[in-house]
Amino acid sequence: MNTAQVLLVLEDMFFSFLAAFGFGSLSNPPFKALVCAGLLGAFGHGLRYFLITVYAVHIVPASFLSAVCVGFLAFFIAKKMHTLVEVFTFPAVLPMIPGIPAYNTMISLVKFLNASQDTHRYLEQVFYNGFLALFILSALVLGILCPYLLMSKKCWVITRHAFGISKAKNS
């Protein structure tokens, strides 16, 4: 990995931090949690960008691996900060939503509807970009769900602790 690639990954992480920080601010969490969500978003998107550019991993498995890492890290951060896991996971994953494939799907669909010839090429682009966006979104959702499913007991403990619910109050 050369210096140019490192700078590109760091640049990607910086802008992902800003996006995650901005998305996280919509739910009005504490500032420390907001900074952690931004750092988690920078890490997740930077990891995905690193896997795609350096190791030539396809965007779908790279998105899945990044979402799994973000999910596990969010559990540990949430436990340390006594905050809900969702405060960290959703803003961190939002910068990885496939906007470009979704946009290309819509553009290809408009071109397909307005074309008088060569329509099969546009229809192929509609399906390719549409399924790519769908698979990336599915990979992100499944990647975030894996830590929830594997650490479900811990999830309930963190949630109870964040809301101040104890076993004595439930009994």
Side-chain angles (χ1 to χ4, degrees), residues 165-171:
I165 302 170
S166 66
K167 289 184 180 179
K169 290 181 183 177
N170 290 335
S171 303

Side-chain angles (χ1 to χ4, degrees), residues 50-99:
F50 175 78
L51 290 172
I52 291 170
T53 57
V54 175
Y55 289 111
V57 177
H58 192 267
I59 191 168
V60 175
S63 297
F64 176 76
L65 291 173
S66 297
V68 168
C69 291
V70 164
F72 278 116
L73 286 173
F75 265 95
F76 296 119
I77 293 171
K79 185 173 182 177
K80 291 256 186 220
M81 296 187 74
H82 305 293
T83 309
L84 294 173
V85 178
E86 291 83 7
V87 170
F88 304 109
T89 54
F90 294 132
V93 171
L94 281 173
M96 291 191 275
I97 294 213

